[in-house]
Every structure is written in structure tokens, then in C-alpha cells.
Amino acid sequence: MDDSTPTTQVDVAIVGAGPIGLCFANALSRQGVSSMLIDRQPRSAMADPGNDGREIALTRASQQILDRLGVWSGIDPAERTRMRAAKVFDGQSLFAMEIAPGATRDDPLGCLVPNRVIRRAAYGALQPEAPGAGDILWRDEGEIVRFQANEAAVDIELGSGERVQASLLVAADSRFSTTRRAMGIPARTYQHGEQMLVCRMHHDEPHDQTAWEWFGYGQTLALLPVDTHCSSLVLTLSPEAMAQQLALSDAAFDADITRRFEGRLGAMHRIAEPHCYPLVSVYAERFVGHRQALIGDAAVGMHPVTAHGFNLGLQGLARLAELVGEARQQGRDIASPALLRRYQREQRLATGPLFAATLAIVGLYTDDRPPARLLRKAVLRAGETAWPIRRLIAGHLTRSAS
Ligand SMILES: Cc1cc2nc3c(=O)[nH]c(=O)nc-3n(C[C@H](O)[C@H](O)[C@H](O)COP(=O)(O)OP(=O)(O)OC[C@H]3O[C@@H](n4cnc5c(N)ncnc54)[C@H](O)[C@@H]3O)c2cc1C
């Protein structure tokens, strides 16, 4: 780096202004901690993100964190869908395990919000006119070209040539994080060999505010309730089968999806463009380094089947921001090894079991061999009769933030 270039000082440099990076900068600013958000995208794309087809199932704890950050109030109530219950089907069986909070019909299991809407609200909550918006520097269409963590700070050079000095460098740049790699942090990566298609469908029969997860043979299907006669379709197929699916005409696609759901919701029609995602799960071997930390998908990239990636990311950023804020108030180093170790320990405890359980579910319910088919049914029956299993799942979704 050229020593004559002026250096920008900031408490925390965050790479990635996705929903997690945006919410982390927000949480820090509420603790009086300054940050710089560095993202490849232009500001216009952050302010008005395109539709990516994802409907995010938010737990009660996530809604509370978003509320504290002033993000929840920026989400139009018409964009929030209350999910009353979830049904899990296996194979060709009509039998379903139903998961519900168990109280009244007004007590929802969770709430579905389009990812595009969450991103827009997370960005809006950081604009100068938003209440509580704090000390944030924006470097859009930007990226880090190199950095070096020293005793007291991290020296960073951006693609523009700007030099930045931060007490802490945080990677929030997706499950394919290049910053994590540059930090020298290895990650366990699971290629599931399948692709996931998401898009909204209209259907003749109502869904009763119930989500469906259907582990069929050779396909996994889910429906997430939106309006009374509209749901978000989630279809998981092999890459070859997905290519054929995407090549279908509109009418053939509709007929095919109606057939896959065996007409259980009547005729179905696609009402939005489909989006396709390769299924890759990632778990970083460490969440911290010297003056460095990982948050969001850069730390834990969950398989979407259990709908927890963003929820776990929110918990993690709230945890790290609180520790940093406490250290700032007490005049301590905001990136001390003890603080970062504590964040890592707590976040691994919060994410490790669910990550492992999700991998086990994916492994079992995508295995169509006869012994696995028997086990799949047995697990579902056990879940149906064993109240503790259902209560555990429902409890996880409806638990409040601490
Ligand atoms: C189909 C699908 C359904 C899902 N459903 C749910 C659900 O129901 N519930 C749930 O909790 N989660 C769900 N998730 C997971 C959720 O979408 C992710 O956990 C969440 O988007 C992660 O946010 P993030 O900010 O960590 O990463 P991302 O959203 O991936 O954002 C990363 C940001 O980093 C930027 N970036 C990347 N590389 C660089 C770089 N080198 N330099 C600068 N900037 C960079 C990108 O431009 C982007 O803005 C789902 C995911 C999928 C695919």
C-alpha cells in the first residue's frame, strides 16, 4: 500500500451489504459503533432489490430483532403472511405430520416475507431520515483487494485505492464468501447435487395458511402460503430434471406442477418468473480470526429445507453487536480475542445442532431406497405420535428473542 494515501478510520468494516450485513451495521450503530459497508452492488440495487423468488419464513425471535432495528415497521403488513401450521408429507402417503404452535388459530407458527421486501426494509432503516440511523459509510460497487490484521487494527485496501483502518473486519459476503477464504478460514461444503426452483403459483383451493413440505420420491416439494389462493412453490430436482422443467411451456409447466401435487390444491398456474438455486450447505470451521469475524451465510450457509439461514444469521449478528457494544461502553477493545471467542462459542452452539439435523433430514428424505423409505415413514409417524418432537420444532419457530 502507498503510505501517502489518506486512511479512513472506522470501528468495523463489513464486506457484504446483503440482509445480514445491513442489519449488522444497523445493530452496531445503535450501540454507538461506526461501520463501513462494502458491497459489489450499486446503491440502486440495494435500495430496490429485484425479485429473487425467496419467501423467508421468519421466527418470532427474528421478528423481534427486526423490530428492534426499525426494519419490521418498514415492512408493509400486506407483505407479511402469517403461517398457522406446517404439514410434512412423505412419499405417496396422504398422511401428514402437522406442526402447529398448539394454542389458538391466532397464534402463528411464523411469518413469511419476500426476501426482496426484507432487503429493501433493511436498507431503508439505514437511511439518514430513518429513526436511529447512525454512523455508516457506504462503499457500493466496492470490494476489498487486500487486508492485513495487525496488533491494534486491520489495514484494508479497497479496489478504488482507498485505505481503511478498522478495529474489526467482518465477512457477510454470502456462503461463497471470498473474504472468508482470504481470511484463511476453511469451511465444510456440502454439494447436495440438486437444484431448487422457487416461484409463486395460483391454486384453485385455499391453503388454510398452512405450509406444505412434501418429501416425494425423486422430488421434494414445498408450498409456502401467500394469499388465500396463492403460494410460493419450492421444487427440488436433479440438475437434468430441472433443465427439462425450465424448458416447459407455461401451460405444460402449470399442468406438470398440478400433477406433482396430485391436484390436492386444484389446478395451479404460475404467476411469477421461476428462480433456481444450486443446493450447497456450508459450515465454516471457525467463525473468528485475529480481528476478524464471519456472520450470516458466510459463517453458516443452511440448506433452505428447514428455512433457518436468515433466522440464524440474525441471531448471530445480534449476539456479536451486543458484545461489541458492551465492550465499547466499558472502554474495552471491541475485537479482543476473548470477545470473539465468546461470539464463536455461542454462535456455534446455536447453529451446529440445527445444521447437523438439517443435513440428516436432507440425507434421509432424498434417499428413495426401500430401507430409507421405511425409516422415513417411521420418523414421520414417531413425530406425529410423539408430542415432544412436534413441540420442539414448533417451539423453535415460535420462541422469542432474548
Ligand atoms: C430458496 C431459498 C429460500 C430460503 N428461505 C429461507 C427461509 O425461509 N428462512 C430463512 O431464515 N432463510 C432462508 N433462506 C436463506 C437466506 O436467504 C440467507 O440466509 C440470507 O440471504 C443470507 O444473507 P447474507 O446477507 O448473509 O448473504 P447474501 O444474501 O448472500 O448477501 C451477500 C451480499 O454480499 C455481497 N458480496 C458478495 N461477495 C462480495 C465481495 N467479494 N465483495 C463485496 N460484496 C460482496 C453480495 O452482493 C450481497 O449483497 C433461503 C435461501 C434460499 C436460497
Side-chain angles (χ1 to χ4, degrees), residues 16 19-20 39-41 54 57 119 174 178 297 307-311:
I20 293 296
D39 199 292
R40 285 178 179 153
Q41 300 181 91
R54 299 185 202 183
R119 293 185 78 144
S174 86
T178 50
D297 277 17
H308 273 307
F310 182 60
N311 290 305

Side-chain angles (χ1 to χ4, degrees), residues 15-21 38-41 54-58 112 115 119 142-144 172-175 177-179 196 198 224 234 277 295-298 300 302 304 306-312:
V15 189
I20 293 296
I38 304 154
D39 199 292
R40 285 178 179 153
Q41 300 181 91
R54 299 185 202 183
E55 309 284 339
I56 304 294
L58 294 168
L112 285 158
N115 196 37
R119 293 185 78 144
E143 56 186 340
I144 287 187
D173 53 346
S174 86
R175 65 188 63 202
S177 172
T178 50
T179 311
M196 180 174 272
V198 285
L224 307 171
V234 185
Y277 295 92
I295 58 173
D297 277 17
V300 182
M302 295 283 291
T306 45
H308 273 307
F310 182 60
N311 290 305
L312 294 177

Side-chain angles (χ1 to χ4, degrees), residues 92-136:
Q92 303 305 115
S93 171
L94 286 174
F95 166 81
M97 175 174 83
E98 183 160 329
I99 301 165
T104 67
R105 283 182 75 88
D106 292 334
D107 190 9
L109 189 60
C111 185
L112 285 158
V113 180
N115 196 37
R116 161 185 56 85
V117 173
I118 296 175
R119 293 185 78 144
R120 198 170 54 210
Y123 178 83
L126 290 183
Q127 298 318 297
E129 64 279 8
D135 196 0
I136 292 157

Side-chain angles (χ1 to χ4, degrees), residues 119-348:
R119 293 185 78 144
R120 198 170 54 210
Y123 178 83
L126 290 183
Q127 298 318 297
E129 64 279 8
D135 196 0
I136 292 157
L137 299 172
W138 295 84
R139 296 295 180 269
D140 60 325
E141 297 185 69
E143 56 186 340
I144 287 187
V145 287
R146 64 180 70 88
F147 63 87
Q148 191 175 352
N150 302 313
E151 188 53 33
V154 190
D155 291 318
I156 299 165
E157 186 181 338
L158 303 186
S160 61
E162 181 180 0
R163 293 177 58 165
V164 180
Q165 198 166 63
S167 300
L168 176 64
L169 172 63
V170 173
D173 53 346
S174 86
R175 65 188 63 202
F176 306 109
S177 172
T178 50
T179 311
R180 180 183 65 218
R181 211 170 311 132
M183 288 172 171
I185 300 181
R188 272 176 280 147
T189 301
Y190 303 85
Q191 305 276 357
H192 299 291
E194 290 185 311
Q195 296 182 352
M196 180 174 272
L197 175 147
V198 285
C199 72
R200 285 191 174 186
M201 304 286 297
H202 179 276
H203 39 79
D204 287 350
E205 301 298 329
H207 48 50
D208 195 23
Q209 302 304 115
T210 302
W212 290 18
E213 185 83 53
W214 191 344
F215 297 104
Y217 300 137
Q219 63 170 11
T220 303
L221 288 166
L223 273 183
L224 307 171
V226 183
D227 283 336
T228 312
H229 291 276
C230 172
S231 295
S232 174
L233 162 73
V234 185
L235 172 64
T236 306
L237 295 172
S238 67
E240 303 74 38
M242 189 62 81
Q244 288 170 13
Q245 190 73 25
L246 291 170
L248 294 175
S249 68
D250 288 355
F253 184 94
D254 291 349
D256 179 78
I257 299 299
T258 305
R259 177 191 60 78
R260 287 182 189 273
F261 279 95
E262 299 178 355
R264 292 183 194 197
L265 284 172
M268 301 177 77
H269 307 282
R270 188 171 70 196
I271 53 172
E273 277 309 298
H275 293 262
C276 222
Y277 295 92
L279 287 174
V280 180
S281 307
V282 177
Y283 202 85
E285 294 203 353
R286 289 184 280 119
F287 291 177
V288 298
H290 180 53
R291 297 198 169 278
Q292 298 158 25
L294 309 178
I295 58 173
D297 277 17
V300 182
M302 295 283 291
H303 189 295
V305 73
T306 45
H308 273 307
F310 182 60
N311 290 305
L312 294 177
L314 272 180
Q315 281 176 30
L317 74 86
R319 184 168 280 128
L320 183 57
E322 198 179 312
L323 292 172
V324 167
E326 257 174 36
R328 167 54 50 86
Q329 274 161 26
Q330 294 166 5
R332 292 187 281 113
D333 182 0
I334 63 165
S336 70
L339 181 156
L340 294 175
R341 272 200 306 272
R342 181 165 166 201
Y343 160 69
Q344 167 167 271
R345 190 173 58 246
E346 292 180 2
Q347 190 59 5
R348 289 181 89 82

